């Protein structure tokens, strides 16, 4: 996601600077393809920018923010990560009115109209302009810091939550020896579930390793609202069991089912 | 559901006997409309039948089975309830080879082709014939006692589980003040979710009181397979918060959201 967002900002006429230190070769290659200028250290990058954009796995978001704050940076800080409004608020405190909360919905932005970047907070409109005429549709929304993260949490709560649910159900049917009957029934009364369960396996398996943290952020968001958090704690466990598919080809459903069921 | 199943057996040319004792007037009226012969006591009913069919809220299924066994009944016992394979096995022990496990999928069977009654166990085919040419499609499946319940659990795990999820998400969005943004995003990239969340409220609210027990049976089924049970424990909590809509008109989504969110 980060590379496509950088490419969008670059295509809108801005220089995008990334930090090479501690990154994998694959990440460095993607950054170069996205027209990013790479520098060695965070301090060097910070000295050259007006806006910092954090796009990382959700569990790293707070650490990244602390590292940037520790440099004495006093420009706009945008957190674009899949974090709870509470985590966003904790990050926001580090940057006061310069904090912009972001939530990205959609696939990596390599085609127009597919990816929206919701932004909230006092300076949200200053970030929207960075994406003018780019492949990313940036939208400032009301509600203050936390609102954009809440949109992301609610959105992914269904898409990734229901994918985890359907994969768990396919594993449950297999464990109970009723797969064929369930599929025949779905073909009658829940048309599309057979295909969608197979597509969920292919679509989520390579990314499952980083969905677990996102599911925990969503669970925290439910908890803060006084709603049950079990849907997404369960989804986190499903995705954790699939974490080893990282960097593999998309896994077929049979492989996912094998990963989900305890060995007997 | 029970009345429509009774009507199907009756339409296939069999006498259907029900027990009046302890039932509400509304249940008695539905039973009469379904062409059931009502007798006062369970003992009287048992003395006149070759097949017993239990259709009740899941949490009552085991008690009903024990009551029937206590009469010394030695005919076929069909459990048609939304219970876990483990609960079905516990009931099966009471009736040995005369036990038939059932799982009903679809709405109450008032029109042809909408409702399937899966049946498993040694005598399943003897139960299938009771529904010949009726509005209920009865199907014997392999896998022994427990298989039909497993089909029901897997099926409802998605239908009722995802309905609870989407209602919880609508409540979450409302609590975070981002309902309008979420709906606008759904209208772009998850077409149908706006409508389906509104339909879920109308469709589940009058029945939510009895879904909670079913969700707990599903959670137990996941647990027995070594899969996370949190999806359906959360769904049980959602439906419990909606239990007071029983006997009301279908509730609108705003009413369901109010029921789900803790008072602040």
């Amino acid at each position: 996601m980060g590379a496509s967002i950088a490419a969008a900002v670059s295509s809108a006429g801005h220089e995008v600077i990334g930090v090479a230190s501690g990154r994998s070769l694959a990440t460095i290659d993607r950054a170069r393809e996205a027209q990013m200028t790479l520098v060695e250290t965070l301090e060097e990058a910070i000295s050259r920018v007006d806006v910092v954009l954090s796009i990382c796995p959700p569990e790293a978001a707070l650490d990244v923010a602390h590292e940037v704050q520790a440099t004495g940076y006093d420009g706009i800080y945008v957190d674009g990560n899949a974090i709870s409004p509470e985590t966003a608020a904790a990050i926001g405190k580090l940057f006061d009115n310069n904090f912009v909360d972001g939530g990205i919905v959609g696939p990596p932005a390599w085609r127009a109209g597919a990816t929206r970047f919701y932004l909230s907070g006092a300076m949200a409109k200053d970030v929207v302009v960075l994406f003018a005429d780019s492949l990313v549709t940036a939208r400032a929304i009301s509600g203050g810091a936390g609102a954009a993260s809440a949109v992301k949490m609610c959105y992914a709560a269904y898409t990734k939550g229901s994918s985890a649910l359907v994969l768990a159900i396919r594993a449950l049917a297999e464990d109970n020896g009723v797969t064929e009957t369930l599929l025949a029934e779905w073909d009658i009364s829940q048309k599309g579930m057979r295909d969608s369960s197979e597509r969920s396996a292919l679509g989520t398996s390579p990314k499952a390793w980083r969905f677990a943290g996102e599911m925990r952020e969503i669970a925290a968001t439910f908890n803060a609202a006084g709603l049950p958090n079990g849907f997404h704690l369960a989804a986190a466990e499903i995705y954790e069991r699939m974490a080893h598919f990282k960097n593999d080809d998309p896994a077929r459903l049979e492989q996912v089912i094998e990963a989900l069921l305890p060995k007997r």
Side-chain angles (χ1 to χ4, degrees), chain A residues 164 167-168 170-172 174-175 201 204-206 208-209 234 236-246 248 251-264:
Chain A
L167 293 173
R170 287 296 305 262
L172 185 69
E174 194 67 22
D175 185 71
T204 63
S205 52
W209 66 274
E237 190 167 337
I238 293 295
Y239 288 131
E240 267 160 15
R241 293 187 192 183
M242 297 167 61
H244 60 282
F245 293 119
K246 180 181 180 179
D248 273 1
R252 284 171 294 105
L253 182 58
E254 306 87 84
Q255 298 171 282
V256 170
I257 289 171
E258 196 194 335
L260 295 184
L261 289 176
K263 298 280 176 293
R264 281 164 301 181

Side-chain angles (χ1 to χ4, degrees), chain A residues 78-165:
Chain A
V78 187
D79 184 287
N81 302 307
I83 55 175
S84 70
E86 290 68 32
T87 305
I91 293 174
K93 277 189 191 156
L94 305 177
F95 302 99
D96 294 324
N97 279 336
N98 283 329
F99 176 67
V100 174
D101 182 29
I104 303 171
V105 168
W110 299 121
R111 59 188 175 84
T115 310
R116 277 157 299 285
F117 199 167
Y118 292 98
L119 297 155
S120 64
M123 314 287 279
K125 287 180 183 168
D126 296 87
V127 178
V128 167
V129 298
L130 299 178
F131 294 91
D133 302 316
S134 78
L135 294 179
V136 170
T137 306
R139 284 196 185 147
I141 62 171
S142 61
S149 284
V151 171
K152 171 68 180 174
M153 295 290 94
C154 290
Y155 188 84
Y158 193 77
T159 53
K160 294 177 184 133
S162 65
S163 289
L165 175 59

Side-chain angles (χ1 to χ4, degrees), chain A residues 132-231:
Chain A
D133 302 316
S134 78
L135 294 179
V136 170
T137 306
R139 284 196 185 147
I141 62 171
S142 61
S149 284
V151 171
K152 171 68 180 174
M153 295 290 94
C154 290
Y155 188 84
Y158 193 77
T159 53
K160 294 177 184 133
S162 65
S163 289
L165 175 59
V166 75
L167 293 173
I169 290 169
R170 287 296 305 262
L172 185 69
E174 194 67 22
D175 185 71
N176 280 276
V178 297
T179 296
E180 288 313 311
T181 306
L182 178 68
L183 292 178
E185 175 59 45
W186 276 356
D187 287 346
I188 297 170
S189 61
Q190 298 287 325
K191 287 196 186 13
M193 287 294 297
R194 177 196 289 257
D195 288 351
S196 108
S197 59
E198 289 169 4
R199 274 199 314 270
S200 289
L202 295 168
T204 63
S205 52
K207 299 178 281 184
W209 66 274
R210 62 181 164 80
F211 287 178
E214 182 170 346
M215 294 302 104
R216 280 189 290 267
E217 291 288 320
I218 294 174
T221 311
F222 275 82
N223 206 47
L227 290 163
N229 62 4
F231 293 110

Side-chain angles (χ1 to χ4, degrees), chain A residues 7-89:
Chain A
V9 174
S10 179
S11 77
H14 308 280
E15 189 183 17
V16 184
I17 296 174
V19 179
S21 163
R23 301 306 169 83
S24 70
L25 267 179
T27 301
I28 289 173
D29 286 345
R30 275 200 303 275
R32 290 223 167 98
E33 282 164 26
Q35 311 299 322
M36 282 169 75
T37 304
L38 286 174
V39 299
E40 279 298 334
T41 65
L42 179 64
E43 288 69 20
E44 189 180 347
I46 291 294
S47 71
R48 291 171 60 175
V49 300
D50 306 308
V51 177
V52 168
L53 186 45
S54 165
I55 299 187
C56 63
E59 55 272 25
L62 192 56
D63 285 348
V64 167
H66 275 294
E67 285 170 32
V68 171
Q69 190 215 22
T71 66
Y73 173 70
D74 63 359
I76 292 176
Y77 187 88
V78 187
D79 184 287
N81 302 307
I83 55 175
S84 70
E86 290 68 32
T87 305

